[in-house]
Amino acid sequence: MREKFYRFMQGRYGSDQLNRFLMIVALICFIISPFGGRLFYVVGLGLLIYAYFRMLSRNIYKRREENSAYMRQQYKVKQRFATWKRDMSQRKTHHIYKCPSCKQKIRIPRGKGKIEVRCPKCGCIFIKKS
């Protein structure tokens, strides 16, 4: 039986990170569907069918491109969250201001009073309270 399955899956794409994400979202939709209505059930079923379609597909190049696009978006979200987390951890010791002209983030230590800040990117000078 195992050999038959191996032969069946030979040349097919299989599972990847996007498939795992689709399966998890489908599971969440199925869990919510008794409380949220029929729409969640239909969306979950659609995601499950699409995940299996991707898994059994023989067009490996297209599936890799889809997974690559998903991984790029996931990386952007992770980077935003990491930046937000870093900024929140520094709030007690520093103020974080944006330059009025180029929007560059500038970190200023707290407790120095009113100071003149020079943007390292564009050289714009502005006054802020630290």
Side-chain angles (χ1 to χ4, degrees):
M1 185 68 177
R2 189 179 288 183
E3 270 183 49
K4 285 183 182 181
F5 181 71
Y6 286 145
R7 271 190 261 130
F8 174 74
M9 288 302 288
Q10 194 170 16
R12 299 185 189 268
Y13 185 63
S15 186
D16 59 4
Q17 290 89 352
L18 177 57
N19 264 11
R20 282 186 224 125
F21 175 74
L22 291 172
M23 295 279 200
I24 290 170
V25 173
L27 180 66
I28 291 170
C29 286
F30 287 141
I31 291 171
I32 294 174
S33 67
F35 310 109
R38 194 172 191 92
L39 178 66
F40 286 108
Y41 180 77
V42 173
V43 169
L45 192 61
L47 289 172
L48 194 62
I49 290 170
Y50 183 62
Y52 274 104
F53 164 75
R54 290 187 78 252
M55 197 180 307
L56 298 175
S57 174
R58 290 186 183 260
N59 192 348
I60 294 173
Y61 177 74
K62 269 211 161 181
R63 302 297 85 86
R64 279 189 187 153
E65 288 296 316
E66 291 169 354
N67 189 51
S68 177
Y70 166 73
M71 294 301 288
R72 281 192 299 273
Q73 292 301 319
Q74 182 187 36
Y75 178 75
K76 287 179 185 177
V77 170
K78 282 184 177 181
Q79 284 302 109
R80 271 198 190 146
F81 181 71
T83 302
W84 178 81
K85 186 178 175 183
R86 185 194 69 220
D87 289 350
M88 288 298 123
S89 69
Q90 294 177 358
R91 293 275 174 178
K92 289 184 178 180
T93 58
H94 294 83
H95 281 287
I96 298 174
Y97 293 114
K98 285 190 178 181
C99 174
S101 63
C102 69
K103 309 299 182 208
Q104 171 74 31
K105 284 185 178 181
I106 302 169
R107 193 174 72 136
I108 307 296
R110 286 185 180 261
K112 302 290 184 187
K114 280 191 174 182
I115 57 173
E116 186 177 277
V117 181
R118 167 174 264 142
C119 176
K121 187 175 179 183
C122 68
C124 177
I125 297 173
F126 56 99
I127 297 174
K128 287 290 184 178
K129 182 182 176 189
S130 70

